Amino acid sequence: MEIFKLDGEDQRLYYLVAHLVMNEEVLNYNLHYPYKTSPEYKWFIAADKENTLGFIPVKLKEGKATINNYYVADDDTKIFSLLLKEIIREFLPDFEIESVTQIQHVPYFEQNGFSITLYWKKYVKMKILRNEEKCL
């Protein structure tokens, strides 16, 4: 398995995820919320030689790296962890990392250092703290 990091309008992005983001099952997984991209996004995609196994788009804006939708086939813990660890490694030194996380996926994010900051009905807002914030 390989983790690809692609800009929000990279042509390879469409090859790797278009068949999923337009798939009814995947849209159901995302609670019917459409997947979005723009130049402000960086996509983290887990794939093997034959399949895209999961992806997490991250929006970079005003010092924040925000996860607001994602897909991981079969909710595979290993794939969630690999993607989240790569996002943390990429952004934590320079960005505050937040996630709008589906309730059922909270344990995957908590296992990777995220904490809940706000509860909603179907989602929670989570955040991972930068090193200097952990000292406060």
Side-chain angles (χ1 to χ4, degrees):
M1 180 173 36
E2 188 174 351
I3 303 292
F4 296 94
K5 294 184 268 185
L6 301 175
D7 292 331
E9 293 184 342
D10 188 308
Q11 292 301 309
R12 294 174 294 167
L13 174 64
Y14 301 99
Y15 173 78
L16 289 167
V17 302
H19 65 288
L20 293 170
V21 300
M22 295 187 287
N23 179 299
E24 188 174 343
E25 238 178 76
V26 175
L27 286 171
N28 287 339
Y29 177 96
N30 203 39
L31 304 176
H32 305 285
Y33 186 79
Y35 295 95
K36 300 175 184 176
T37 195
S38 73
E40 294 177 315
Y41 283 82
K42 177 82 102 177
W43 285 66
F44 293 77
I45 303 162
D48 61 19
K49 292 179 181 178
E50 299 170 2
N51 299 303
T52 298
L53 305 169
F55 58 81
I56 301 178
V58 180
K59 186 174 186 177
L60 304 174
K61 188 173 182 180
E62 299 172 1
K64 287 187 182 179
T66 304
I67 298 167
N68 196 10
N69 54 42
Y70 48 84
Y71 169 74
V72 174
D74 302 320
D75 284 343
D76 186 297
T77 307
K78 180 180 175 187
I79 295 169
F80 258 113
S81 187
L82 287 170
L83 288 167
L84 290 171
K85 283 181 187 338
E86 193 62 33
I87 289 166
I88 293 164
R89 189 174 13 259
E90 179 88 9
F91 297 122
L92 191 56
D94 302 314
F95 291 87
E96 179 179 295
I97 302 173
E98 293 183 339
S99 176
V100 176
T101 307
Q102 292 182 39
I103 295 290
Q104 69 267 25
H105 299 133
V106 166
Y108 304 128
F109 283 78
E110 286 179 331
Q111 289 167 5
N112 287 282
F114 284 80
S115 298
I116 296 172
T117 60
L118 184 63
Y119 288 90
W120 292 300
K121 187 175 180 178
K122 295 181 181 180
Y123 300 93
V124 296
K125 186 174 190 176
M126 302 186 83
K127 180 178 178 180
I128 189 162
L129 300 176
R130 290 186 267 193
N131 289 337
E132 65 269 15
E133 292 175 315
K134 290 179 184 177
C135 297
L136 297 177

